[in-house]
Amino acid sequence: FRTLFKHLPVGVVLADRDGRALLENDVFSRLLPKRSGSALPASVFERSCTAHGADGAVLPAAMHPLRQALRGQVARDVELQCLHDDRPPTWIRMSAVPILSDAGYTTGALVVIADIDGEKRNEERRTLLINELNHRVKNTLSAVQSIVARGLPELKENAAYRTAAESRLLALSSAHNILSSQSWESASLSDLAKSVIEPYGTRDRVRTEGPEVILSP
């Protein structure tokens, strides 16, 4: 059992009902190191990690996966940011399950962690690139609007064309904003239709209805 435990490709710790690490493998010790000078059985809670929810918000201490497991609950795939003495903060994904006695009492927990630091870094780079793309596209659309507005002589017969062209550019910009708000992953057909219609001032003359349809980028 100890050999299997030691060579698992993910970090694993067996904790007692007080959260003290009774047994942990090398991957767990590397990803979630003990504080300087501490020795087993040290509490897993002493290791400086902050749990985050799916929306990125910091979770209260009671929502730490191990604390949930020690209350008899199963916690899956909670992301934690961990602080270290000798390197920048890193990210892990943690799951925890309670260990029950024959009588059904929680006597401890089994905790599994995986290294997702590279995954989080890639996500940050992706977000940065998308934000840069959105910024550049908006600048380009603004430049095109300026070209249309300034490229036509101030003649009465050009006014209708200028208005129509600017309205179409505004519709294109609105569609782009919808994709931007969804990180270029998808867009609602209903939202898209309402957005591109709005610049023409036809909301009172056009009705949109139908089932929810999600479009790919």
Side-chain angles (χ1 to χ4, degrees):
F1 170 75
R2 287 181 179 274
T3 301
L4 173 64
F5 199 89
K6 179 179 180 180
H7 290 94
L8 286 171
V10 292
V12 187
V13 67
L14 182 65
D16 66 13
R17 60 184 180 183
D18 295 319
R20 292 175 298 186
L22 302 177
L23 182 66
E24 66 180 82
N25 66 359
D26 293 341
V27 178
F28 192 94
S29 299
R30 174 175 58 82
L31 295 178
L32 206 59
K34 296 185 290 291
R35 286 183 176 178
S36 302
S38 65
L40 290 177
S43 171
V44 175
F45 300 124
E46 291 181 4
R47 309 185 190 193
S48 301
C49 287
T50 305
H52 293 256
D55 59 354
V58 175
L59 296 176
M63 295 304 294
H64 189 289
L66 178 54
R67 293 191 189 278
Q68 293 187 61
L70 294 177
R71 293 197 300 269
Q73 304 167 353
V74 175
R76 291 189 175 93
D77 299 332
V78 179
E79 295 183 354
L80 294 92
Q81 187 179 44
C82 305
L83 303 179
H84 305 280
D85 295 333
D86 56 350
R87 53 194 166 111
T90 57
W91 286 89
I92 61 170
R93 182 175 290 122
M94 179 181 289
S95 298
V97 295
I99 297 174
L100 305 177
S101 67
D102 292 339
Y105 295 107
T106 301
T107 61
L110 184 69
V111 180
V112 179
I113 63 175
D115 183 359
I116 61 167
D117 198 58
E119 178 183 322
K120 296 295 286 188
R121 303 302 175 206
N122 288 336
E123 185 179 314
E124 290 174 0
R125 283 193 288 269
R126 176 174 172 271
T127 300
L128 179 64
L129 288 172
I130 288 177
N131 289 340
E132 180 63 20
L133 171 65
N134 291 336
H135 179 69
R136 289 177 180 270
V137 170
K138 286 183 178 181
N139 284 347
T140 300
L141 287 172
S142 297
V144 172
Q145 284 178 294
S146 178
I147 290 172
V148 170
R150 297 175 180 275
L152 293 172
E154 293 292 338
L155 300 177
K156 186 176 181 180
E157 58 268 24
N158 291 332
Y161 174 78
R162 181 185 297 107
T163 300
E166 289 178 346
S167 294
R168 282 160 174 73
L169 287 172
L170 284 173
L172 179 62
S173 178
S174 296
H176 172 265
N177 288 338
I178 291 176
L179 268 180
S180 298
S181 67
Q182 299 298 319
S183 299
W184 286 81
E185 293 179 357
S186 62
S188 163
L189 179 58
S190 175
D191 291 345
L192 185 63
K194 293 174 182 177
S195 175
V196 298
I197 289 171
E198 188 171 18
Y200 300 104
T202 56
R203 184 179 291 275
D204 56 335
R205 295 189 288 118
V206 178
R207 183 178 69 251
T208 61
E209 61 182 22
E212 179 67 11
V213 176
I214 301 299
L215 303 174
S216 67

